Amino acid sequence: MLRRQVAQLERARGRREDRADPETVEELAGVPVHDIAPATIRAAPTSVFRGGRVANAWAGAETTALPFGHPEVDAATGGLKRGALHDVSPVGAPDMASATGFALACAGLLLRAAGRDSLWLWVRAEMAGREAGEPYGPGLAAFGLDPSRLVAVTAGDTADVLRAAEEGLAARAFAAVLIEPFGDDRRLDLTACRRLSLIADGGRATGILLRTGGVPGPTSAVTRWCISAAPSNGGGRHPGNPVFAADLARNRLGPVGAWMMEWRIDEQSFRAPRAKPKTEATGPLAVPLSGRLAAASGDRSSRPSGPGAVVPFRID
């Protein structure tokens, strides 16, 4: 069954469009999918909407990959490949926020390359919003994502998430399509991932599959990232840039590896974290403890009692 469906999709990719707005629809596994035949690559206006029609978000000269900014990661992956599907998973439940941040950073790279006027799509299951939280405007801006250019879709289950994601990838109007189901669902199998990959490649769209609330399953994505939280190298009392412990578990274009990746908010790119200088602690934490505090040992030497004095409990 899988081979037959893949063969049908491959044949569909070989067909060329006869009209500007094709209405050709295929019926695969009971789910209608728009024809994913690749369009002729041509320069498109940077504005996504012009004259009431949708333009291809992949404007200007074709660029197959975008640099992360981290030299070792770029050497291993060649950059973030466009027109493909990428898989991002948290190492554990406490790392869902970190995995979401890493996926948003990748979407920010894509949106920056496509232009500030480009749109981006976030399709997520309703349960993902309840468990992982809803989008926050200033937080999105920190990853280079304009909240006013976001098209957010909330779906009831995995099947609806996949349908909306396929439509978004085939529309060719979004610089990035963030796909977030929730939990482990048998419908998110290798066939479903293969469909997303083929549509992304045919429509020159980039999909980021964010698997919150579940374990990594079979995938046909170009890369698979397993993300966990890492300490931030902040200075003084202020938090620093977000840092991710990124494990590249699958890479169809080169070797795998694990790196510490810091997202530079000001420069909108990744880098290797800088070593934090060791300095003596300053501030309230460095103030010595007052002699008025009760001793922790059983020594109950006489201490003056009076207003403001701390009297320890007696231990027999």
Side-chain angles (χ1 to χ4, degrees):
M1 175 65 70
L2 175 60
R3 291 182 178 179
R4 183 166 62 254
Q5 292 177 352
V6 171
Q8 288 177 309
L9 289 173
E10 293 289 354
R11 287 196 298 270
R13 292 180 57 193
R15 295 197 298 270
R16 296 292 180 180
E17 298 174 341
D18 297 330
R19 303 191 301 272
D21 298 311
E23 299 294 340
T24 305
V25 176
E26 292 187 62
E27 188 73 20
L28 296 178
V31 180
V33 180
H34 286 294
D35 191 315
I36 60 175
T40 303
I41 301 298
R42 60 183 182 277
T46 56
S47 177
V48 177
F49 292 101
R50 177 168 295 183
R53 301 183 62 181
V54 179
N56 193 335
W58 196 329
E62 180 177 358
T63 304
T64 57
L66 303 173
F68 285 98
H70 192 297
E72 296 179 0
V73 176
D74 287 332
T77 62
L80 180 63
K81 181 175 173 56
R82 301 173 71 180
L85 180 68
H86 301 274
D87 197 309
V88 178
S89 301
V91 172
D95 301 304
M96 284 195 297
S98 296
T100 302
F102 184 85
L104 290 173
C106 293
L109 293 175
L110 295 166
L111 200 68
R112 180 182 180 183
R116 295 184 178 274
D117 293 334
S118 300
L119 297 177
W120 62 291
L121 174 67
W122 193 348
V123 182
R124 63 193 325 223
E126 182 180 6
M127 186 57 67
R130 294 181 179 180
E131 294 293 334
E134 298 296 341
Y136 177 59
L140 297 178
F143 290 105
L145 297 167
D146 187 351
S148 66
R149 311 302 295 174
L150 167 63
V151 177
V153 176
T154 301
D157 55 19
T158 301
D160 290 338
V161 169
L162 294 175
R163 291 191 186 98
E166 291 174 0
E167 294 292 337
L169 290 171
R172 307 174 183 175
F174 301 102
V177 178
L178 189 58
I179 309 163
E180 187 181 6
F182 187 84
D184 300 323
D185 195 316
R186 66 178 60 185
R187 286 170 290 192
L188 187 59
D189 55 8
L190 185 60
T191 301
C193 292
R194 180 62 174 166
R195 288 163 62 94
L196 294 174
S197 298
L198 289 174
I199 296 174
D201 180 61
R204 286 294 185 267
T206 307
I208 302 173
L209 179 59
L210 177 58
R211 299 175 184 260
T212 54
V215 297
T219 184
S220 63
V222 172
T223 59
R224 162 169 281 174
W225 296 90
C226 296
I227 306 299
S228 60
S232 175
N233 294 332
R237 300 170 180 266
H238 306 287
N241 294 322
V243 180
F244 308 97
D247 181 9
L248 181 58
R250 170 188 171 89
N251 183 14
R252 291 172 54 188
L253 304 177
V256 297
W259 304 274
M260 301 294 289
M261 301 177 64
E262 177 183 352
W263 175 254
R264 295 177 288 187
I265 296 178
D266 295 335
E267 301 180 22
Q268 298 295 299
S269 66
F270 288 100
R271 73 174 177 191
R274 296 176 180 175
K276 186 177 181 180
K278 295 183 179 180
T279 58
E280 295 183 0
T282 59
L285 294 179
V287 176
L289 296 177
S290 172
R292 295 168 55 189
L293 293 178
S297 66
D299 180 14
R300 292 297 180 262
S301 58
S302 61
R303 292 182 182 271
S305 61
V310 178
V311 179
F313 288 103
R314 181 180 299 278
I315 300 178
D316 295 329

